[in-house]
Structures are given as structure tokens and as C-alpha cells.
Amino acid sequence: MEHTWLADESCRALTIGTPGLFATTLSERVVSVASLSRAYGMSGLRVGWFLASDRQLNQVFLAAKEQMTMCGRLLDEEIACRVYCRCAQELPQGAAAVRRGVDIAKFYATLNGMHATMVGPGHWFEKDDRLIRIGFGRPLVTP
């Protein structure tokens, strides 16, 4: 009996640098799932995707999806599309932007010093300091 492997690639967009190939390139027995929830902060939209290199498996999952829902919510899909496309065009992989008019030095000092949030300024990845990477999982230090 052959098994199909599931790769949850929801955090793939948070990769520093260029992400590697999708897991589905490893074998026709590997499927990949991802969403906008984690990496893009769009958890309320419930928009994601399924990838497989096996055409028959794609058809099986498409049929299953069609049994669960007739269509996605139009507004959610439109917002998701705009967010995804804008991020892909304007931001390096896994980065967020600080709006103009914000004191960058104070911004970094406040996030890191007062809120224990690790942020990487843009110059770490050869970009303007208005582009940032936000670290996850930094433990809080209690005084």
C-alpha cells in the first residue's frame, strides 16, 4: 500500500531568502497545503490552497472540496487575492512594511525594548529599514 505524505507549508512565506521548492516536487505521493492565516496574518479569511503533482489526486480533492462548499466567500477571496499579490510584488519574502512618517529608530526600540518583539531591520536583508522581519517565539524575560 502506498502512502501519501502531507506537507503543511503554511509558514513557507516566512522563509528568509528564497524559499525552496514546494514539497510536491519531491514525489507524486506528496501533497502540500498552505493558507494566508499564519504567514500573512489573515486568519479570519479562511483562504488556503492544496497542491499536488498527481493530477488524479488533484481531482479527488477538488471533488471533495466541491462537496463541502459550493464556493468561497467572494469578499474574502478578493481581499486574500489583493493581500497575496501585493505582498508578492512589494515585499521581500517574509517581510512587512512600516508606514512613512514613523520614526524608525523609535519603532525598533519600542518593539524590542518595551514589547520584547524581535524585529529585523531591512538592512539585514539589503533593503530599506522600513521593511522589517518580525521574529516569532522569543521568550519573555521577567525582571
Side-chain angles (χ1 to χ4, degrees), residues 95-99 102-125 127-135 138:
V98 178
R99 68 180 172 191
V102 172
D103 181 333
I104 295 293
K106 186 176 179 183
F107 174 81
Y108 286 119
T110 301
L111 280 178
N112 194 299
M114 294 177 63
H115 300 287
T117 302
M118 186 59 145
V119 290
H123 69 265
W124 286 8
F125 46 99
K127 299 290 180 185
D128 182 276
D129 276 350
R130 294 202 173 282
L131 294 176
I132 64 171
R133 291 188 194 257
I134 303 172
R138 180 177 177 203

Side-chain angles (χ1 to χ4, degrees), residues 17-124:
T18 304
L21 298 173
F22 281 99
T24 55
T25 62
L26 300 173
S27 166
E28 286 193 353
R29 302 307 308 167
V30 175
V31 297
S32 174
V33 294
S35 70
L36 296 180
S37 299
R38 293 182 192 143
Y40 296 92
M42 298 282 126
S43 58
L45 295 181
R46 303 285 189 233
V47 175
W49 53 93
F50 166 89
L51 300 171
S53 56
D54 181 331
R55 287 182 178 269
Q56 186 176 5
L57 196 55
N58 270 322
Q59 291 301 315
V60 168
F61 276 86
L62 178 59
K65 182 243 178 218
E66 289 173 346
Q67 296 299 313
M68 291 183 272
T69 180
M70 291 297 289
C71 65
R73 297 179 302 198
L74 187 59
L75 183 58
D76 287 3
E77 290 180 1
E78 180 65 23
I79 292 169
C81 183
R82 287 179 187 225
V83 167
Y84 185 79
C85 291
R86 183 173 179 196
C87 287
Q89 291 172 0
E90 297 180 11
L91 301 175
Q93 204 70 17
V98 178
R99 68 180 172 191
R100 301 207 183 282
V102 172
D103 181 333
I104 295 293
K106 186 176 179 183
F107 174 81
Y108 286 119
T110 301
L111 280 178
N112 194 299
M114 294 177 63
H115 300 287
T117 302
M118 186 59 145
V119 290
H123 69 265
W124 286 8

